[in-house]
Amino acid sequence: MHLLTYLADGDDTPRLGALLAGDRVADLTALADAAGAQLPDSLLGLISAGDPALATARRLVAGSPDTRPLAEVSLRAPLRPGKIVGVGLNYVEHVAESHRTLDTDRELPDRPVLFGKPSTAVTGPGQPIRHNANLTKQLDWECELAVVIGEPAFQVAERDALRHVFGYSIVNDISARDQRRSGQWFFSKGQDSYAPFGPVVVTADEIPDPQRLDLSLKVNGELRQDSNTRHMLFGIARLIADISSGVTLEPGDVIATGSPSGVGAGMVPPQFLQPGDLVEATIERIGTLANPVIDAR
């Protein structure tokens, strides 16, 4: 299923929906009410409720429900994660690019490089990325596959790790390159709007091999990143095993699995986001996450 959160009809209450064929949106909450079924009214609630709730959602959309065009609704971030675990330097070419332009180590890391982004950094499809020139002159982009956790994971073996995945989405890991502080990335990557997320969460059954997905990013229609998740240094199962060795991953948590090469800091000369830009991150089988950049001073 392709699950989403949206606003419609001038209502400011987010709705839980499913994206169906022909870019039609089904209101899962309304369908459940009409059928007398029990279903959480948010995607985080649906994930937390486990397989029975997902099975109910599948049954509800299997009966040719009333739908509305996707163009008539306003998408929001699919959910607000409890935590976002970012992965740095997880594509070989990006390691070389970062060493050349960002003074990171030349050698490939021998274990995942992890950092956190707060949930307040999350913003949804079509929502603005905030460019505050008082804080940064080097606002950069990174298209990343997002892993959404479905079942709690603590000290999970790599062979069992994918069983804990609910689905997949897109995160654009926005970074203020000039706000790294003594090598620490929290403020550089954690400011409000620095985690565009969406447009949907695709359940894991629809992406049987997440290590074979094309991903790309455009700025104002110009291609900047173009790669495939098979080039990850540490695959998704390894990441879950490594993170859960000491940190409990909970339902709705998100792992942003790292960026390929092609970031603005690596261009010659470097190029960074400016107010008025449009950033579009695309991942095969998931869709495109588009966000404008605005002046936030």
Side-chain angles (χ1 to χ4, degrees), residues 171-186:
V171 164
N172 188 351
D173 179 17
I174 299 297
S175 308
R177 300 293 187 191
D178 46 1
Q179 280 289 348
R180 286 185 299 158
R181 301 181 177 185
S182 299
Q184 299 301 307
W185 294 352
F186 180 80

Side-chain angles (χ1 to χ4, degrees), residues 121-137:
V122 169
T123 193
Q127 301 301 296
I129 297 166
R130 296 169 55 85
H131 184 293
N132 185 340
N134 295 325
L135 293 176
T136 182
K137 302 296 191 294

Side-chain angles (χ1 to χ4, degrees), residues 38-212:
Q38 297 294 317
L39 195 70
D41 61 2
S42 70
L43 182 50
L44 182 56
L46 182 70
I47 295 170
S48 299
D51 289 341
L54 185 57
T56 297
R58 293 186 194 282
R59 176 173 57 82
L60 291 171
V61 300
S64 301
D66 291 336
T67 61
R68 68 180 75 201
L70 177 63
E72 292 183 2
V73 306
S74 178
L75 295 183
R76 291 296 182 262
L79 56 92
R80 176 67 69 86
K83 52 185 170 288
I84 304 168
V85 182
V87 183
L89 306 174
N90 200 31
Y91 286 72
V92 174
E93 290 182 353
H94 184 52
V95 173
E97 175 183 65
S98 295
H99 171 71
R100 185 178 71 252
T101 60
L102 297 172
D103 299 323
T104 56
D105 289 341
R106 180 192 300 273
E107 295 77 18
L108 296 179
D110 58 6
R111 57 184 179 176
V113 177
L114 306 176
F115 61 91
K117 292 173 83 87
S119 62
T120 47
V122 169
T123 193
Q127 301 301 296
I129 297 166
R130 296 169 55 85
H131 184 293
N132 185 340
N134 295 325
L135 293 176
T136 182
K137 302 296 191 294
Q138 299 180 3
L139 195 66
D140 209 345
W141 57 82
E142 293 187 352
C143 177
E144 308 197 2
L145 177 67
V147 177
V148 181
I149 297 298
E151 297 182 4
F154 181 66
Q155 296 184 341
V156 171
E158 189 171 342
R159 64 179 177 276
D160 300 322
L162 294 185
R163 300 177 189 174
H164 295 263
V165 175
F166 177 83
Y168 302 95
S169 190
I170 304 170
V171 164
N172 188 351
D173 179 17
I174 299 297
S175 308
R177 300 293 187 191
D178 46 1
Q179 280 289 348
R180 286 185 299 158
R181 301 181 177 185
S182 299
Q184 299 301 307
W185 294 352
F186 180 80
F187 197 72
S188 168
K189 291 176 172 285
Q191 296 181 47
D192 288 7
S193 82
Y194 279 21
F197 175 37
V200 299
V201 173
V202 180
T203 53
D205 60 292
E206 295 203 12
I207 302 180
D209 187 356
Q211 303 294 169
R212 290 293 185 271

